[in-house]
Structures are given as structure tokens and as C-alpha cells.
Amino acid sequence: MKDLDTIEDRVHCSNPSLEDVVALIAELRKLREESRWIPVTERLPEEMAGVILAFVYQGNRNVTGDAYMNRGSWWSFGIEITDPIAWRPLPKAPEGG
């Protein structure tokens, strides 16, 4: 993200280079891919990897921030989730203290 801030500062100058604009676009594409919801029909996360999960329960769409797969089943807070829709990786922890 620090690189993105540096590139963005350079693009906001009066005459950004094509290289700066291309680098910013590449970084934005990477961020978009990292933050998108991944349908469970498209692919699944690694076993036991913590993820954010969208699922249906009693006809309502819900989201949990502490889900994982174990032996092909989805779990969150010790409860099995039987109707998952999509998932996304957990964000990285903030830097610093």
C-alpha cells in the first residue's frame, strides 16, 4: 500500500509519466483481485485458512469474519455452515503497534 501512495503522489503531479500511470493501474487491479468475493463454485480456500464467509441461514444472507474449511466442511465459531455462497481472504493485520 505504501508503494501505491508513492505512485499516486507521482501521478497527481502536473505531468505524470506513462510508467507511473501503468504502475498505478497494475496496483489497483491487484488490490481489486485481493478484495473480491470468490464464489465457492469457483474455488475454495486452503484447509484451515481463516476467511470471511458469506452464507445463507434461514433464508437470510449473512457474513462471518471467522470461518474456515476442515475436511470439506465450513465452520465458524464451532458451528457448521451448510450453505456457503462466497468467501474472501482475511485482510492483513495493520502495521505497527
Side-chain angles (χ1 to χ4, degrees), residues 7 13 20 22 32 35 37-38 41-44 53 57 59 64 73 77 83-85 89 91:
I7 295 167
C13 72
D20 289 337
V22 169
R32 182 176 59 196
S35 66
W37 285 99
I38 302 164
T41 56
E42 182 179 315
R43 75 179 155 96
L44 299 173
L53 181 68
Y57 179 71
T64 181
S73 296
F77 298 102
D83 199 2
I85 301 168

Side-chain angles (χ1 to χ4, degrees), residues 14-40:
S14 60
N15 195 10
S17 71
L18 179 58
E19 179 183 293
D20 289 337
V21 173
V22 169
L24 180 60
I25 291 169
E27 184 68 20
L28 290 171
R29 284 184 175 149
K30 178 183 170 192
L31 290 170
R32 182 176 59 196
E33 180 62 26
E34 289 174 354
S35 66
R36 79 178 184 91
W37 285 99
I38 302 164
V40 296

Side-chain angles (χ1 to χ4, degrees), residues 53-64 81-85:
L53 181 68
F55 62 99
V56 175
Y57 179 71
Q58 295 183 346
N60 297 309
R61 288 179 180 242
N62 298 280
V63 173
T64 181
I81 297 174
T82 58
D83 199 2
I85 301 168

